[in-house]
Amino acid sequence: MRLPSLFGMVHLLPLPGSPGYGGDQKIVIERAVEDGLTLARAGFPALMVENLGDAPFFKEHVPAITVAGITAAALAVGEATGLPLGINVLRNDVMSALSIAAVSGAGFVRVNVLTGSMYTDQGLVEGRAAEVARARAALCPEVKVLADVFVKHATPPPGTDLAATARDTIERGRADALIVSGEATGTGVDLSHLEAVRAAAPDAPLLVGSGVTADNFSIVAATADGAIVGSSLKRGGLTSPVDYEMAVGIAEAARKSGWL
């Protein structure tokens, strides 16, 4: 499957088993489908389903109930919209993401730490490239792995080099695309980091993973090949529904940049 240039985030409300769960999975599914349909109507070519509402996150292995909840949401969103889907199981449960993709028909998974390691609020998160490559080959070889380089909400170990990490993620980690984000959700990307990753892996598809708005779209589009957009689609915070007008603004900016 060809890599879309623009993913709209479907941030799931807290799932069963998480501290903020509201007690009705139907509401979680309804919101996910509503957001997916809003993004589809606005002109987004692809969606990324993520369990953002489940904070605090498990480091590497989420409970079975979380896998079940994300799978149900992904199936519902995919059926309602017909758009290509990506799956991100926070914090770094790539095995579950691949399993969900294999069952739901999603074409992409996002991996926060594929190679190397990062210090996070979950502790030290280490790369799982060997497991990912083998599980993908066995379960869903057509699924593409989109891997973060110096993922947000994290700090690299002292002495870790951004360019070397980018090269390792592609060449040794076997990622299909790289993602560069700002320091946190909604924070704009450091353009020098974006340019350094582009220079280190010039042939790799490069996505911006946070802080993309209609106003700065042309700036990031000059270096990147695509974007994953979430917080700038909402009014009133990450738990709010996707705003149609804001989504249209992003889609129009993508068209002006030649991405759509």
Side-chain angles (χ1 to χ4, degrees):
M1 181 181 294
R2 180 178 177 272
L3 181 66
S5 57
L6 187 63
F7 286 88
M9 288 302 308
V10 175
H11 291 140
L12 299 179
L13 295 174
L15 293 165
S18 68
Y21 178 54
D24 191 343
Q25 171 72 358
K26 290 182 180 179
I27 294 175
V28 177
I29 299 295
E30 288 170 358
R31 167 64 73 78
V33 169
E34 175 188 343
D35 283 350
L37 289 172
T38 299
L39 290 163
R41 286 193 298 112
F44 276 67
L47 307 173
M48 182 78 68
V49 178
E50 178 185 85
N51 60 323
L52 186 68
D54 285 349
F57 303 112
F58 291 94
K59 183 166 67 171
E60 292 178 339
H61 304 291
V62 302
I65 187 63
T66 303
V67 178
I70 299 173
T71 303
L75 286 167
V77 170
E79 181 177 359
T81 66
L83 293 179
L85 295 183
I87 306 293
N88 188 22
V89 181
L90 298 169
R91 172 62 153 160
N92 201 47
D93 192 345
V94 198
M95 297 301 109
S96 290
L98 287 168
S99 298
I100 294 166
V103 170
S104 67
F108 310 90
V109 296
R110 181 175 184 175
V111 184
N112 289 169
V113 184
L114 182 65
T115 63
S117 61
M118 295 289 287
Y119 291 108
T120 76
D121 52 321
Q122 292 80 34
L124 182 65
V125 175
E126 297 180 287
R128 306 180 66 187
E131 296 169 86
V132 170
R134 287 157 178 79
R136 174 168 63 162
L139 297 175
C140 46
E142 73 286 353
V143 169
K144 295 188 181 300
V145 172
L146 317 181
D148 283 271
V149 179
F150 284 16
V151 68
K152 57 190 173 183
H153 296 284
T155 302
T160 306
D161 181 72
L162 177 65
T165 300
R167 286 191 294 271
D168 281 348
T169 303
I170 285 291
E171 296 171 6
R172 296 166 66 85
R174 302 178 68 90
D176 297 295
L178 301 177
I179 303 170
V180 178
S181 299
E183 293 182 355
T185 299
T187 303
V189 65
D190 185 325
L191 292 178
S192 68
H193 288 182
L194 191 65
E195 291 163 357
V197 171
R198 169 60 84 198
D203 297 326
L206 179 59
L207 305 176
V208 176
S210 72
V212 176
T213 67
D215 292 335
N216 69 13
F217 207 101
S218 61
I219 297 173
V220 298
T223 302
D225 303 302
I228 303 170
V229 185
S231 56
S232 60
L233 300 171
K234 300 183 176 187
R235 302 183 195 276
L238 290 173
T239 60
S240 301
V242 170
D243 182 274
Y244 175 72
E245 296 300 329
M246 296 180 78
V248 167
I250 293 288
E252 288 180 350
R255 289 191 188 92
K256 290 178 181 177
S257 297
W259 282 9
L260 298 180

